[in-house]
């Protein structure tokens, strides 16, 4: 098989559902903007060389329905000849799109593809506008439809992840994110037009930072929050991922295309895998997917310099890190020199725009790998319905 190279990976800021900067911005507009931004980062990039664009979306309906990939690519000025598909594997949709688009390159079916993700949780709520579980199957297997928050409670209870540990992990997520913002480390973010409607009709402003980061977070403050999903539970608004709007995109090329268009690659897409697990503890997904992908690559946990493990909830992120042998605080504390998990903060601070997250985390991971000269980076997440996904990227010299 040939190699697939990512040559550009960018994202919009992540902004809070309903009250954040993108609450009134259409998802097609966000996605069109980021598809253009990915192209603008490659000198002399001609949009007509793109074969196909795959876009992850976890709730592809209403404003982000039909086939948003195709609609947004046309809005972004890609020519009619560029095809587009929307991909759904819930929270790994944006990584699934990278894997599928890379496979097109690896197999020789395409020379230049794009991948990405979009989710406007302001426009389409988690689970969709009108969820309709199968009436008989819902009685046999209700866990397939259970709230994600309850699955996080199950992980916390079954694997004894204390409220204190969840809150501590969440505090560090905010501290890492605040520090990264202060030091301008989010180089993968592209300033993005956002719409607002006040008095005179539509006005547009530029948003260039993730608006969910709370630099004033304290462990004591987090400890006072009430459980969000179960009266006697430990999962709160402070130790859950934020519901968020955002988009991300990347460009993938074959080795031949790199030469032909004289483009420098950022990383190789080495391996990608998915696993299934019990639906009512879907948060354990990374604990299964990461060892599986490492085995495929013949690599050890110690070989991996950076991890982006999606913080759907602190309980499952901590448990997953523990299971793969990097649960110790030194691997995720903001003030630790040995930190390698979510070094710029995770979804608890930065938000989790479901179908966008896989591409968003890839953009962040690649920017950090490049900045720090890290050879191997792993991205992983849990997935609703009971799954996990993981990918390995290798830095190009
Ligand atoms: C948990 C959840 C319901 C909370 O939603 P919300 O009430 O809109 O959350 P908010 O971020 O507005 O936080 C609510 C309140 O908690 C408190 N809070 C949140 N984070 C805090 C922090 N770091 N420190 C102190 N207080 C905090 C604040 O009082 C906040 O209210 P404010 O913004 O008015 O100050 C929502 O974030 C959620 O569903 N998350 C999980 C999403 C999910 O399941 N994704 C899929 C995973 S597979």
């Amino acid at each position: 098989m040939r190699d697939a190279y990512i040559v550009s990976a960018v994202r919009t800021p992540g902004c809070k559902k309903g009250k954040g900067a993108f609450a009134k911005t259409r998802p097609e507009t966000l996605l069109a903007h980021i598809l253009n931004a990915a192209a603008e980062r490659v000198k002399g990039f001609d949009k007509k060389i793109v074969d196909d664009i795959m876009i992850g979306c976890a709730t592809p309906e209403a404003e982000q329905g039909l086939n948003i990939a195709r609609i947004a690519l046309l809005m972004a000025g890609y020519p009619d000849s560029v095809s587009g598909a929307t991909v759904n594997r819930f929270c790994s949709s944006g990584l699934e799109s990278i894997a599928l688009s890379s496979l097109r390159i690896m197999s020789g079916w395409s020379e230049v593809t794009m991948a990405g993700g979009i989710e406007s949780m302001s426009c389409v709520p988690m689970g969709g506008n009108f969820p309709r579980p199968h009436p008989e199957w819902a009685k046999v297997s209700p866990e397939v439809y259970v709230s994600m928050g309850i699955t996080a409670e199950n992980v916390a209870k079954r694997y004894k992840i204390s409220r204190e540990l969840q809150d501590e992990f969440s505090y560090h997520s905010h501290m890492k994110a605040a520090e990264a913002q202060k030091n301008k480390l989010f180089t993968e973010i592209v300033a993005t037009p956002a719409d607002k409607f006040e008095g005179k009709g539509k006005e547009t402003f530029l948003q260039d930072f993730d608006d969910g980061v709370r630099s004033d977070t304290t462990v004591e403050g987090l400890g006072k929050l009430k459980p969000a999903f179960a009266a006697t539970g430990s999962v709160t608004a402070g130790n859950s991922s934020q519901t968020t709007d955002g988009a991300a995109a990347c460009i993938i090329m074959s080795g031949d295309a790199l030469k032909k268009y004289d483009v420098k690659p950022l990383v190789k897409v080495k391996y990608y895998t998915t696993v299934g697990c019990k639906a009512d503890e879907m948060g354990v997904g990374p604990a299964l997917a990461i060892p599986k992908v490492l085995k495929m690559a013949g690599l050890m946990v110690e070989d991996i310099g950076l991890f982006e493990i999606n913080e759907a909830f602190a309980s499952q992120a901590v448990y997953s890190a523990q299971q793969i042998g990097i649960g110790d605080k030194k691997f995720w504390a903001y003030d630790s020199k040995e930190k390698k998990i979510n070094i710029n903060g995770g979804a608890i601070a930065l938000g989790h725009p479901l179908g966008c997250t896989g591409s968003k985390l890839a953009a962040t991971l690649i920017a950090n790998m490049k900045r720090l000269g890290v050879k191997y980076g792993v991205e992983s997440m849990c997935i609703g319905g009971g799954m996990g996904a993981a990918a390995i990227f290798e830095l190009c010299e």
Side-chain angles (χ1 to χ4, degrees):
M1 280 231 279
R2 308 194 302 173
D3 284 319
Y5 299 88
I6 294 183
V7 301
S8 166
V10 290
R11 68 177 180 94
T12 70
C15 295
K16 287 176 85 71
K17 168 192 165 174
K19 42 194 173 188
F22 297 140
K24 300 279 181 255
T25 307
R26 295 274 304 205
E28 309 93 314
T29 310
L30 285 179
L31 182 54
H33 177 74
I34 209 66
L35 288 172
N36 266 329
E40 276 160 22
R41 287 220 177 166
V42 180
K43 210 168 145 239
F45 189 79
D46 183 350
K47 289 174 178 166
K48 75 170 184 298
I49 69 172
V50 179
D51 193 19
D52 186 51
I53 302 182
M54 294 208 188
I55 296 298
C57 181
T59 38
E61 63 176 59
E63 291 89 337
Q64 53 196 25
L66 302 170
N67 179 2
I68 189 170
R70 175 70 180 163
I71 294 166
L73 76 86
L74 292 174
M75 280 173 70
Y78 285 78
D80 283 344
S81 57
V82 179
S83 52
T86 307
V87 176
N88 185 7
R89 196 193 281 276
F90 284 169
C91 300
S92 73
S93 302
L95 184 57
E96 190 72 33
S97 68
I98 293 176
L100 289 172
S101 299
S102 298
L103 282 172
R104 291 274 289 258
I105 302 285
M106 291 173 180
S107 65
W109 288 0
S110 299
E111 297 300 326
V112 181
T113 56
M114 290 182 70
I118 175 69
E119 202 78 35
S120 170
M121 297 182 82
S122 295
C123 286
V124 187
M126 198 161 61
N129 287 305
F130 188 22
R132 278 180 288 183
H134 188 287
E136 285 101 35
W137 181 245
K139 285 182 201 138
V140 179
S141 189
E143 66 280 1
V144 177
Y145 302 105
V146 79
S147 127
M148 294 298 106
I150 294 299
T151 72
E153 287 287 1
N154 291 342
V155 171
K157 279 198 199 88
R158 285 177 198 166
Y159 305 110
K160 302 190 172 33
I161 309 297
S162 68
R163 166 78 187 261
E164 289 70 29
L165 185 53
Q166 292 174 55
D167 286 349
E168 195 182 5
F169 183 83
S170 305
Y171 163 75
H172 284 276
S173 185
H174 280 281
M175 292 305 108
K176 287 182 284 188
E179 189 77 6
Q181 283 186 332
K182 199 173 93 195
N183 294 324
K184 303 193 184 330
L185 300 186
F186 289 114
T187 52
E188 78 280 10
I189 291 183
V190 177
T192 301
D195 295 334
K196 63 177 177 186
F197 296 84
E198 275 164 18
K200 302 179 274 198
K202 186 163 102 174
E203 285 176 53
T204 300
F205 61 100
L206 269 187
Q207 177 70 18
D208 62 0
F209 65 94
D210 301 304
D211 68 14
V213 182
R214 293 171 180 260
S215 57
D216 59 352
T217 297
T218 60
V219 173
E220 296 71 39
L222 288 168
K224 287 186 192 139
L225 298 177
K226 291 203 168 66
F229 302 98
T232 57
S234 60
V235 179
T236 69
N239 60 37
S240 302
S241 59
Q242 296 176 33
T243 46
T244 300
D245 307 326
C250 65
I251 299 175
I252 308 167
M253 288 189 176
S254 66
D256 290 344
L258 293 181
K259 281 197 205 106
K260 184 169 175 189
Y261 302 112
D262 192 22
V263 174
K264 274 210 162 71
L266 298 170
V267 294
K268 268 187 209 171
V269 183
K270 290 296 286 181
Y271 289 94
Y272 171 71
T273 195
T274 53
V275 291
C277 60
K278 281 190 191 151
D280 71 351
E281 55 173 38
M282 64 91 211
V284 308
L288 306 170
I290 293 173
K292 186 176 168 193
V293 83
L294 288 176
K295 192 166 173 215
M296 286 162 71
L299 293 172
M300 314 284 284
V301 171
E302 297 71 40
D303 297 323
I304 307 304
L306 288 175
F307 288 85
E308 278 294 327
I309 302 178
N310 187 37
E311 299 169 357
F313 300 94
S315 66
Q316 58 76 217
V318 169
Y319 171 75
S320 298
Q322 286 176 350
Q323 287 304 295
I324 59 168
I326 51 171
D328 193 287
K329 190 176 158 182
K330 70 179 179 189
F331 293 118
W332 46 261
Y334 87 97
D335 50 356
S336 163
K337 289 204 165 53
E338 290 174 69
K339 66 176 176 292
K340 54 160 94 179
I341 304 177
N342 307 347
I343 59 167
N344 289 356
I348 288 167
L350 302 168
H352 174 20
L354 308 178
C356 162
T357 289
S359 289
K360 171 183 185 290
L361 296 188
T364 302
L365 178 61
I366 292 166
N368 283 331
M369 286 172 69
K370 185 122 181 72
R371 178 170 61 85
L372 299 170
V374 166
K375 184 159 187 205
Y376 293 114
V378 161
E379 175 184 344
S380 184
M381 67 277 290
C382 57
I383 307 167
M387 289 181 283
I392 301 178
F393 300 98
E394 181 182 339
L395 189 68
C396 295
E397 300 306 331

